[in-house]
């Protein structure tokens, strides 16, 4: 079969791994977008810039924090950055929500989209001015360097790529479980349906909304840290990815968290397979699928018709 297709099993498996890694980033980022839209009704176009911020916070902590503080040997390593960077980006997101977005909840979605799109341009422009667009490298942590050789399949799996997939799956399905299967998730869903009634029961709805937006943004920061050793850390890394992530969210269903996870992983694999059989189409295959889904099911594969 592989001879008929003109590829080797090793090449196919390698592209599937690449697709799974891309799908992991799509899943985490689109899940953050789905949470923000599904629970807050905000189309967060700043998500790509917040993903970029997560990568830059990790890189700055590793390379610049010590010199800034006058201690060259001080640095925030990768494992600390996995925790601190999402917290920093999430706090920045909560500041945006408290000062700007909360004024738009009762207006049309277009106002939130325009505001977040403008913020994305401002943030990206600032980082272009400070760091240029050439990109900075971020070393793979020593514990995850190297690769695992699978002799039976004749392929080599980089340890860090395996870690990216595993960490993404844990974060995605843990988040889904909390929102869909716990009392906290029930409060979040109730807050989108009837915030006045929920507040009458003593729940601080404004704080809950702020924390929810902060968590969705923190997911983008977490994805940025995961991406830093894989891609070049540069100001345009978010803008290059956000359009694809929005397509993933539309296909899965706006606001559907499970749809974002499943669709993100699936489309990553489809994109990887397309690179094997028709490389020129890999850049547009997701958008072709989006067009077909919108024609057949406008609410998305996992979305609900209103």
């Amino acid at each position: 079969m592989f001879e008929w297709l003109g590829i080797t099993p090793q090449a196919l498996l390698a592209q599937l791994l690449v697709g799974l890694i891309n799908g992991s980033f799509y899943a985490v980022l689109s899940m953050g977008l789905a949470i923000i839209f599904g629970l807050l009704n905000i189309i967060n176009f700043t998500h790509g810039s917040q993903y970029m911020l997560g990568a830059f916070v990790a890189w700055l902590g590793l390379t610049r924090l010590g010199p800034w503080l006058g201690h060259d040997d001080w640095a925030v390593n990768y494992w600390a950055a996995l925790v601190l960077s999402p917290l920093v980006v999430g706090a920045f997101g909560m500041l945006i929500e408290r000062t700007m977005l909360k004024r738009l909840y009762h207006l049309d979605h277009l106002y939130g989209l325009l505001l977040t799109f403008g913020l994305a341009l401002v943030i990206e422009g600032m980082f272009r001015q400070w760091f240029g667009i050439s990109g900075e490298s971020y070393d793979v942590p020593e514990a995850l360097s190297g690769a695992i050789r699978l002799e039976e399949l004749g392929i080599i799996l980089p340890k860090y790529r395996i870690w990216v997939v595993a960490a993404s799956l844990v974060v995605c399905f843990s988040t889904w479980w909390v929102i869909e299967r716990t009392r906290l998730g029930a409060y979040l869903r109730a807050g989108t349906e009837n915030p006045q009634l929920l507040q009458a029961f003593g729940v601080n709805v404004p704080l809950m909304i702020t924390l929810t937006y902060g968590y969705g943004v923190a997911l983008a920061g977490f994805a940025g840290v995961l991406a830093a050793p894989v891609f070049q850390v540069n100001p345009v890394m978010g803008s290059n990815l956000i359009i694809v992530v929005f397509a993933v969210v539309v296909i899965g269903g706006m606001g559907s968290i499970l749809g974002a996870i499943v669709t993100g992983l699936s489309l990553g694999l489809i994109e990887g397979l397309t690179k094997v059989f028709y490389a020129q189409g890999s850049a547009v295959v997701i958008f072709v699928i989006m067009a077909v889904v919108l024609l057949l099911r406008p609410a998305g594969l996992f979305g609900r018709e209103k």
Side-chain angles (χ1 to χ4, degrees):
M1 182 183 68
F2 289 104
E3 291 179 1
W4 179 70
L5 293 174
I7 60 172
T8 64
Q10 292 79 10
L12 179 61
L13 289 172
Q15 284 302 325
L16 286 175
L17 177 61
V18 171
L20 188 58
I21 293 167
N22 289 338
S24 298
F25 290 121
Y26 297 162
V28 175
L29 287 168
S30 60
M31 183 178 63
L33 280 177
I35 289 172
I36 292 171
F37 180 80
L39 301 179
L40 308 182
N41 286 321
I42 290 292
I43 301 174
N44 186 36
F45 226 97
T46 319
H47 214 63
S49 296
Q50 290 156 345
Y51 160 77
M52 177 267 292
L53 280 175
F56 261 104
V57 169
W59 177 77
L60 289 171
L62 182 67
T63 63
R64 301 289 179 88
L65 181 64
W68 284 345
L69 298 178
H71 297 273
D72 292 342
D73 56 337
W74 286 10
V76 178
N77 65 24
Y78 173 83
W79 303 107
L82 273 179
V83 177
L84 295 177
S85 187
L87 289 176
V88 171
V89 177
F92 176 67
M94 288 190 286
L95 178 64
I96 291 174
E97 193 277 335
R98 283 287 82 194
T99 57
M100 302 179 194
L101 290 177
K102 74 172 185 177
R103 308 173 188 275
L104 307 179
Y105 289 144
H106 303 295
L107 302 177
D108 189 87
H109 295 323
L110 182 61
Y111 290 94
L113 187 151
L114 291 174
L115 173 63
T116 55
F117 180 69
L119 284 173
L121 293 178
V122 170
I123 294 170
E124 182 180 314
M126 291 170 60
F127 274 76
R128 279 173 178 260
Q129 178 69 27
W130 294 337
F131 300 103
I133 59 172
S134 59
E136 305 288 348
S137 61
Y138 189 96
D139 294 334
V140 173
E142 185 176 349
L144 297 175
S145 61
I148 299 172
R149 178 182 291 275
L150 300 179
E151 299 290 352
E152 321 78 56
L153 300 176
I155 61 173
I156 297 175
L157 298 179
K159 291 180 182 179
Y160 188 78
R161 267 60 171 183
I162 299 173
W163 158 251
V164 168
V165 175
S168 300
L169 290 175
V170 169
V171 169
C172 286
F173 285 103
S174 297
T175 301
W176 171 83
W177 184 81
V178 168
I179 292 177
E180 297 293 337
R181 295 289 186 267
T182 66
R183 179 173 294 185
L184 174 60
Y187 285 156
L188 292 175
R189 297 194 304 275
T192 65
E193 300 292 334
N194 196 330
Q196 293 80 13
L197 179 61
L198 189 63
Q199 189 137 0
F201 281 97
V203 177
N204 190 335
V205 174
L207 176 62
M208 185 179 70
I209 289 174
T210 301
L211 292 175
T212 301
Y213 183 81
Y215 182 72
V217 168
L219 287 173
F222 178 78
V225 180
L226 289 180
V230 179
F231 308 111
Q232 286 280 314
V233 179
N234 65 79
V236 299
M237 62 186 295
S239 58
N240 293 339
L241 189 61
I242 191 62
I243 301 299
V244 175
V245 173
F246 265 105
V248 171
V249 173
V250 170
I251 294 169
M254 293 293 287
S256 173
I257 296 171
L258 183 61
I261 298 170
V262 175
T263 306
L265 293 170
S266 301
L267 291 178
L269 290 172
I270 292 172
E271 188 180 52
L273 285 173
T274 306
K275 289 180 180 179
V276 175
F277 299 109
Y278 185 64
Q280 298 90 329
S282 61
V284 298
V285 63
I286 291 178
F287 301 103
V288 172
I289 294 173
M290 181 182 71
V292 173
V293 169
L294 288 176
L295 287 173
L296 300 178
R297 187 174 170 81
L301 297 177
F302 293 81
R304 296 179 181 177
E305 298 284 353
K306 293 186 178 181

Coordinates of all heavy atoms in Angstrom, one line a residue, residues 139-208:
D139 N 15.9 27.2 24.5 CA 16.4 25.8 24.6 C 15.4 24.9 25.2 O 14.7 25.2 26.2 CB 17.7 25.8 25.4 CG 18.8 26.5 24.7 OD1 18.8 26.7 23.4 OD2 19.7 27.0 25.4
V140 N 15.4 23.6 24.7 CA 14.6 22.6 25.3 C 15.2 22.2 26.7 O 16.4 22.2 26.8 CB 14.6 21.3 24.4 CG1 14.0 20.1 25.1 CG2 14.0 21.6 23.0
P141 N 14.3 22.1 27.7 CA 14.9 21.7 29.0 C 15.7 20.4 29.0 O 15.3 19.5 28.2 CB 13.6 21.6 29.9 CG 12.5 21.4 28.9 CD 12.9 22.2 27.7
E142 N 16.7 20.3 29.8 CA 17.6 19.2 29.7 C 16.8 17.8 29.9 O 17.1 16.8 29.3 CB 18.7 19.3 30.8 CG 19.7 18.2 30.7 CD 20.9 18.5 31.7 OE1 20.9 19.6 32.3 OE2 21.7 17.5 31.9
A143 N 15.8 17.8 30.8 CA 15.1 16.6 31.1 C 14.3 16.1 29.9 O 14.0 14.9 29.9 CB 14.2 16.8 32.3
L144 N 14.0 17.0 29.0 CA 13.2 16.6 27.8 C 14.0 16.6 26.5 O 13.5 16.5 25.4 CB 12.0 17.5 27.7 CG 11.0 17.5 28.8 CD1 9.9 18.5 28.6 CD2 10.4 16.1 29.0
S145 N 15.3 16.8 26.6 CA 16.2 16.7 25.4 C 16.4 15.3 25.0 O 16.2 14.4 25.7 CB 17.5 17.4 25.7 OG 18.2 16.7 26.7
G146 N 16.8 15.2 23.7 CA 17.0 13.8 23.2 C 15.7 13.2 22.6 O 14.7 13.9 22.4
A147 N 15.8 12.0 22.2 CA 14.7 11.3 21.5 C 14.6 9.9 21.9 O 15.5 9.3 22.5 CB 14.9 11.5 20.0
I148 N 13.4 9.3 21.6 CA 13.2 7.9 21.8 C 13.2 7.2 20.5 O 12.4 7.6 19.6 CB 11.9 7.6 22.6 CG1 11.9 8.3 23.9 CG2 11.6 6.1 22.7 CD1 10.6 8.3 24.7
R149 N 14.0 6.2 20.3 CA 14.0 5.4 19.0 C 13.1 4.2 19.1 O 13.2 3.4 20.0 CB 15.4 5.0 18.6 CG 15.5 4.2 17.3 CD 16.9 3.8 17.1 NE 17.8 4.9 16.8 CZ 17.9 5.4 15.5 NH1 17.2 4.8 14.5 NH2 18.7 6.4 15.3
L150 N 12.1 4.1 18.1 CA 11.3 3.0 18.0 C 11.8 2.1 16.9 O 11.5 2.4 15.7 CB 9.8 3.4 17.8 CG 9.2 4.3 18.9 CD1 7.8 4.7 18.5 CD2 9.2 3.6 20.2
E151 N 12.5 1.1 17.3 CA 13.2 0.3 16.3 C 12.2 -0.5 15.4 O 12.4 -0.6 14.2 CB 14.1 -0.8 16.9 CG 15.2 -0.2 17.8 CD 16.3 0.5 17.0 OE1 16.2 0.4 15.7 OE2 17.2 1.2 17.5
E152 N 11.0 -0.9 16.0 CA 10.1 -1.7 15.2 C 9.5 -0.8 14.0 O 9.2 -1.3 12.9 CB 8.9 -2.2 16.0 CG 9.3 -2.6 17.4 CD 9.5 -1.5 18.4 OE1 8.7 -0.6 18.6 OE2 10.7 -1.5 19.0
L153 N 9.3 0.5 14.4 CA 8.7 1.4 13.4 C 9.7 2.1 12.5 O 9.3 2.8 11.5 CB 7.7 2.3 14.1 CG 6.6 1.7 14.9 CD1 5.8 2.8 15.6 CD2 5.6 0.9 13.9
G154 N 10.9 2.1 13.0 CA 12.0 2.8 12.3 C 11.9 4.3 12.4 O 12.3 5.0 11.4
I155 N 11.4 4.8 13.5 CA 11.2 6.3 13.6 C 11.8 6.7 15.0 O 12.0 5.9 15.9 CB 9.8 6.8 13.6 CG1 8.9 6.1 14.7 CG2 9.1 6.4 12.2 CD1 7.5 6.6 14.8
I156 N 12.1 8.0 15.0 CA 12.7 8.6 16.2 C 11.7 9.7 16.7 O 11.3 10.6 16.0 CB 14.0 9.3 16.0 CG1 15.0 8.2 15.5 CG2 14.6 10.0 17.2 CD1 16.4 8.8 15.1
L157 N 11.3 9.6 18.0 CA 10.3 10.5 18.6 C 11.1 11.5 19.6 O 11.6 11.0 20.6 CB 9.2 9.8 19.3 CG 8.3 8.8 18.5 CD1 7.3 8.2 19.4 CD2 7.6 9.6 17.4
P158 N 11.1 12.7 19.2 CA 11.8 13.7 20.2 C 11.0 13.7 21.5 O 9.7 13.8 21.5 CB 11.7 15.0 19.5 CG 11.5 14.7 18.0 CD 10.7 13.4 18.0
K159 N 11.7 13.7 22.6 CA 11.0 13.6 23.9 C 10.2 14.9 24.1 O 9.1 14.8 24.7 CB 12.0 13.5 25.0 CG 12.7 12.2 25.1 CD 13.7 12.2 26.2 CE 14.5 10.8 26.3 NZ 15.5 10.8 27.4
Y160 N 10.7 16.0 23.7 CA 9.9 17.3 23.9 C 8.6 17.3 23.2 O 7.6 17.7 23.7 CB 10.7 18.5 23.5 CG 10.0 19.8 24.0 CD1 10.1 20.1 25.3 CD2 9.3 20.5 23.1 CE1 9.4 21.3 25.8 CE2 8.6 21.6 23.5 CZ 8.6 22.0 24.9 OH 8.0 23.1 25.3
R161 N 8.6 16.7 22.0 CA 7.3 16.7 21.2 C 6.3 15.8 21.9 O 5.1 16.1 22.0 CB 7.6 16.1 19.8 CG 7.8 17.2 18.7 CD 9.0 18.0 19.0 NE 9.3 18.8 17.8 CZ 10.4 19.6 17.7 NH1 11.2 19.7 18.8 NH2 10.6 20.3 16.7
I162 N 6.8 14.7 22.5 CA 5.9 13.8 23.2 C 5.3 14.5 24.4 O 4.1 14.4 24.8 CB 6.6 12.5 23.7 CG1 7.1 11.7 22.4 CG2 5.7 11.6 24.5 CD1 8.0 10.6 22.8
W163 N 6.2 15.3 25.1 CA 5.7 16.1 26.3 C 4.7 17.1 25.9 O 3.7 17.3 26.6 CB 6.9 16.8 26.9 CG 6.6 18.0 27.8 CD1 6.8 19.3 27.5 CD2 5.9 18.0 29.0 NE1 6.4 20.1 28.5 CE2 5.8 19.3 29.4 CE3 5.4 17.0 29.9 CZ2 5.2 19.7 30.6 CZ3 4.8 17.3 31.1 CH2 4.7 18.7 31.4
V164 N 4.8 17.8 24.8 CA 3.9 18.8 24.3 C 2.5 18.2 24.2 O 1.5 18.7 24.6 CB 4.3 19.4 23.0 CG1 3.2 20.3 22.4 CG2 5.6 20.3 23.2
V165 N 2.5 17.0 23.5 CA 1.2 16.3 23.3 C 0.6 15.9 24.6 O -0.6 16.1 24.8 CB 1.4 15.1 22.3 CG1 0.1 14.3 22.2 CG2 1.9 15.6 20.9
A166 N 1.4 15.3 25.5 CA 0.8 14.8 26.7 C 0.4 16.0 27.6 O -0.8 15.9 28.2 CB 1.9 14.0 27.5
A167 N 1.1 17.0 27.7 CA 0.7 18.2 28.6 C -0.5 18.8 28.0 O -1.4 19.2 28.8 CB 1.9 19.2 28.6
S168 N -0.6 18.9 26.7 CA -1.8 19.6 26.1 C -3.1 18.7 26.4 O -4.1 19.3 26.7 CB -1.6 19.7 24.6 OG -0.5 20.5 24.3
L169 N -2.9 17.4 26.2 CA -4.1 16.6 26.5 C -4.6 16.6 27.9 O -5.8 16.7 28.2 CB -3.8 15.1 26.1 CG -3.6 14.8 24.6 CD1 -3.2 13.4 24.4 CD2 -4.9 15.1 23.9
V170 N -3.6 16.6 28.9 CA -3.9 16.7 30.3 C -4.7 18.0 30.6 O -5.7 18.0 31.3 CB -2.7 16.5 31.2 CG1 -3.0 16.9 32.6 CG2 -2.1 15.1 31.1
V171 N -4.1 19.1 30.1 CA -4.7 20.4 30.4 C -6.1 20.5 29.8 O -7.1 21.0 30.4 CB -3.8 21.6 29.9 CG1 -4.5 22.9 29.9 CG2 -2.5 21.6 30.7
C172 N -6.2 20.1 28.5 CA -7.5 20.2 27.8 C -8.6 19.4 28.5 O -9.7 19.9 28.8 CB -7.3 19.7 26.4 SG -6.4 20.9 25.3
F173 N -8.3 18.1 28.7 CA -9.4 17.3 29.3 C -9.7 17.6 30.8 O -10.8 17.4 31.3 CB -9.1 15.8 29.0 CG -9.3 15.4 27.6 CD1 -8.2 15.2 26.8 CD2 -10.6 15.3 27.1 CE1 -8.4 14.9 25.4 CE2 -10.8 14.9 25.8 CZ -9.7 14.7 24.9
S174 N -8.7 18.1 31.5 CA -8.9 18.5 32.9 C -9.8 19.7 32.9 O -10.7 19.8 33.7 CB -7.6 18.9 33.6 OG -6.7 17.7 33.7
T175 N -9.6 20.7 32.0 CA -10.4 21.8 31.9 C -11.8 21.5 31.5 O -12.8 22.0 32.1 CB -9.8 22.8 30.9 OG1 -8.5 23.2 31.3 CG2 -10.7 24.1 30.8
W176 N -12.0 20.6 30.5 CA -13.3 20.1 30.1 C -14.0 19.5 31.3 O -15.2 19.7 31.5 CB -13.2 19.1 29.0 CG -14.5 18.5 28.6 CD1 -15.5 19.0 27.8 CD2 -15.0 17.2 29.1 NE1 -16.6 18.1 27.8 CE2 -16.3 17.0 28.6 CE3 -14.4 16.2 29.9 CZ2 -17.0 15.9 28.8 CZ3 -15.2 15.1 30.2 CH2 -16.4 14.9 29.6
W177 N -13.4 18.6 32.1 CA -14.0 18.0 33.2 C -14.4 19.0 34.3 O -15.5 18.8 34.8 CB -13.0 17.0 33.8 CG -13.6 16.1 34.9 CD1 -14.4 15.0 34.8 CD2 -13.5 16.4 36.3 NE1 -14.7 14.6 36.1 CE2 -14.2 15.4 37.0 CE3 -12.8 17.4 37.1 CZ2 -14.3 15.4 38.4 CZ3 -12.9 17.3 38.4 CH2 -13.6 16.3 39.1
V178 N -13.6 20.0 34.6 CA -14.0 20.9 35.6 C -15.2 21.7 35.1 O -16.2 21.9 35.9 CB -12.8 21.9 35.8 CG1 -13.3 23.1 36.7 CG2 -11.7 21.2 36.5
I179 N -15.3 22.1 33.9 CA -16.4 22.9 33.4 C -17.7 22.1 33.2 O -18.8 22.6 33.5 CB -16.0 23.7 32.1 CG1 -14.9 24.7 32.4 CG2 -17.2 24.3 31.4 CD1 -14.4 25.4 31.2
E180 N -17.6 20.9 32.8 CA -18.7 20.1 32.5 C -19.2 19.2 33.6 O -20.3 18.7 33.6 CB -18.5 19.2 31.2 CG -18.2 20.0 30.0 CD -19.4 20.8 29.5 OE1 -20.6 20.4 29.9 OE2 -19.3 21.8 28.8
R181 N -18.3 18.9 34.6 CA -18.6 17.8 35.6 C -18.5 18.3 37.0 O -18.7 17.5 37.9 CB -17.7 16.6 35.4 CG -17.9 15.9 34.0 CD -19.2 15.2 34.0 NE -19.4 14.4 32.8 CZ -19.9 14.8 31.7 NH1 -20.4 16.0 31.7 NH2 -20.0 14.0 30.6
T182 N -18.3 19.6 37.3 CA -18.1 20.0 38.7 C -19.1 21.2 39.0 O -19.7 21.8 38.1 CB -16.7 20.5 39.0 OG1 -16.4 21.7 38.2 CG2 -15.7 19.4 38.6
R183 N -19.2 21.4 40.3 CA -20.1 22.5 40.7 C -19.6 23.9 40.2 O -20.4 24.8 39.8 CB -20.2 22.5 42.2 CG -21.1 23.7 42.8 CD -21.3 23.5 44.3 NE -22.1 22.3 44.6 CZ -22.5 22.0 45.8 NH1 -22.2 22.8 46.8 NH2 -23.2 21.0 46.0
L184 N -18.3 24.1 40.2 CA -17.7 25.3 39.7 C -18.2 25.5 38.2 O -18.6 26.6 37.8 CB -16.2 25.3 39.8 CG -15.5 26.5 39.2 CD1 -15.9 27.8 39.8 CD2 -14.0 26.3 39.3
G185 N -18.1 24.4 37.4 CA -18.5 24.5 36.0 C -20.0 24.9 35.9 O -20.4 25.6 35.0
A186 N -20.8 24.3 36.8 CA -22.2 24.6 36.8 C -22.4 26.1 37.1 O -23.3 26.7 36.5 CB -22.9 23.7 37.8
Y187 N -21.7 26.6 38.0 CA -21.8 28.1 38.3 C -21.4 28.9 37.1 O -22.1 29.9 36.8 CB -20.9 28.5 39.5 CG -21.4 28.0 40.8 CD1 -20.5 27.9 41.9 CD2 -22.7 27.8 41.1 CE1 -20.9 27.5 43.2 CE2 -23.2 27.4 42.3 CZ -22.3 27.2 43.4 OH -22.7 26.9 44.6
L188 N -20.4 28.5 36.4 CA -19.9 29.2 35.2 C -21.0 29.2 34.1 O -21.3 30.2 33.5 CB -18.6 28.6 34.7 CG -17.4 28.8 35.6 CD1 -16.2 28.0 34.9 CD2 -17.0 30.3 35.7
R189 N -21.6 28.0 33.9 CA -22.6 27.9 32.9 C -23.9 28.7 33.3 O -24.5 29.3 32.5 CB -22.9 26.5 32.6 CG -21.8 25.7 32.1 CD -22.2 24.3 31.5 NE -22.9 23.5 32.5 CZ -22.3 22.7 33.4 NH1 -21.0 22.7 33.4 NH2 -23.1 22.0 34.2
A190 N -24.2 28.6 34.6 CA -25.4 29.4 35.0 C -25.2 30.9 34.9 O -26.1 31.6 34.6 CB -25.7 29.0 36.5
G191 N -23.9 31.3 35.1 CA -23.6 32.7 35.0 C -23.8 33.3 33.6 O -24.1 34.5 33.4
T192 N -23.7 32.4 32.6 CA -23.9 32.9 31.2 C -25.4 32.9 30.9 O -25.9 33.7 30.0 CB -23.3 32.0 30.2 OG1 -23.9 30.7 30.3 CG2 -21.8 31.8 30.5
E193 N -26.2 32.1 31.6 CA -27.7 32.0 31.3 C -28.5 33.1 32.1 O -29.3 33.8 31.5 CB -28.2 30.6 31.6 CG -27.5 29.5 30.8 CD -27.9 29.6 29.4 OE1 -29.0 30.1 29.0 OE2 -27.1 29.1 28.5
N194 N -28.2 33.2 33.4 CA -28.9 34.1 34.2 C -28.0 34.6 35.3 O -28.1 34.2 36.5 CB -30.1 33.4 34.8 CG -31.2 34.3 35.4 OD1 -30.8 35.4 35.8 ND2 -32.4 33.9 35.3
P195 N -27.2 35.6 35.0 CA -26.2 36.1 36.0 C -26.9 36.8 37.2 O -26.4 36.7 38.4 CB -25.4 37.1 35.3 CG -26.2 37.5 34.0 CD -27.0 36.3 33.7
Q196 N -28.1 37.4 37.0 CA -28.8 38.1 38.1 C -29.3 37.1 39.2 O -29.1 37.3 40.4 CB -30.0 38.9 37.6 CG -29.6 40.1 36.8 CD -29.3 39.8 35.3 OE1 -29.6 38.6 34.9 NE2 -28.7 40.7 34.6
L197 N -29.8 36.0 38.7 CA -30.3 34.9 39.6 C -29.1 34.3 40.4 O -29.2 34.1 41.6 CB -31.0 33.8 38.8 CG -31.6 32.7 39.7 CD1 -32.6 33.2 40.7 CD2 -32.2 31.6 38.8
L198 N -28.0 34.1 39.7 CA -26.8 33.5 40.3 C -26.3 34.4 41.4 O -25.9 34.0 42.5 CB -25.8 33.2 39.3 CG -24.5 32.3 39.8 CD1 -25.0 31.0 40.3 CD2 -23.5 32.2 38.7
Q199 N -26.3 35.7 41.1 CA -25.8 36.7 42.1 C -26.7 36.8 43.3 O -26.3 37.0 44.4 CB -25.7 38.1 41.4 CG -25.0 39.1 42.3 CD -24.0 39.9 41.5 OE1 -23.9 39.8 40.3 NE2 -23.3 40.9 42.1
A200 N -28.0 36.5 43.1 CA -29.0 36.5 44.2 C -28.7 35.4 45.2 O -29.0 35.5 46.3 CB -30.4 36.4 43.6
F201 N -28.0 34.3 44.7 CA -27.6 33.2 45.6 C -26.3 33.5 46.2 O -25.7 32.6 46.9 CB -27.6 31.9 44.8 CG -28.9 31.3 44.5 CD1 -29.6 31.5 43.3 CD2 -29.5 30.5 45.5 CE1 -30.8 31.0 43.1 CE2 -30.8 30.0 45.3 CZ -31.4 30.2 44.0
G202 N -25.7 34.6 46.1 CA -24.5 35.0 46.8 C -23.2 34.8 46.0 O -22.1 34.9 46.6
V203 N -23.3 34.5 44.8 CA -22.1 34.2 43.9 C -21.6 35.6 43.4 O -22.4 36.3 42.8 CB -22.4 33.2 42.8 CG1 -21.1 33.1 41.9 CG2 -22.8 31.9 43.4
N204 N -20.4 35.9 43.5 CA -19.8 37.1 43.0 C -19.6 36.9 41.5 O -18.5 36.5 41.0 CB -18.5 37.4 43.7 CG -18.0 38.8 43.3 OD1 -18.3 39.4 42.3 ND2 -17.2 39.4 44.2
V205 N -20.6 37.3 40.7 CA -20.5 37.0 39.3 C -19.5 37.8 38.5 O -18.8 37.3 37.7 CB -21.9 37.2 38.6 CG1 -21.9 37.1 37.1 CG2 -22.9 36.2 39.2
P206 N -19.3 39.1 38.8 CA -18.3 39.9 38.1 C -16.9 39.3 38.4 O -16.1 39.2 37.4 CB -18.4 41.3 38.8 CG -19.8 41.4 39.2 CD -20.2 40.0 39.6
L207 N -16.6 38.9 39.6 CA -15.3 38.2 39.9 C -15.1 36.9 39.1 O -14.1 36.6 38.6 CB -15.1 38.0 41.4 CG -13.9 37.3 41.8 CD1 -12.6 38.1 41.4 CD2 -13.9 37.0 43.3
M208 N -16.2 36.2 39.1 CA -16.2 34.9 38.3 C -15.9 35.1 36.9 O -15.2 34.4 36.2 CB -17.5 34.2 38.5 CG -17.6 32.8 37.9 SD -19.2 31.9 38.2 CE -20.2 32.9 37.1

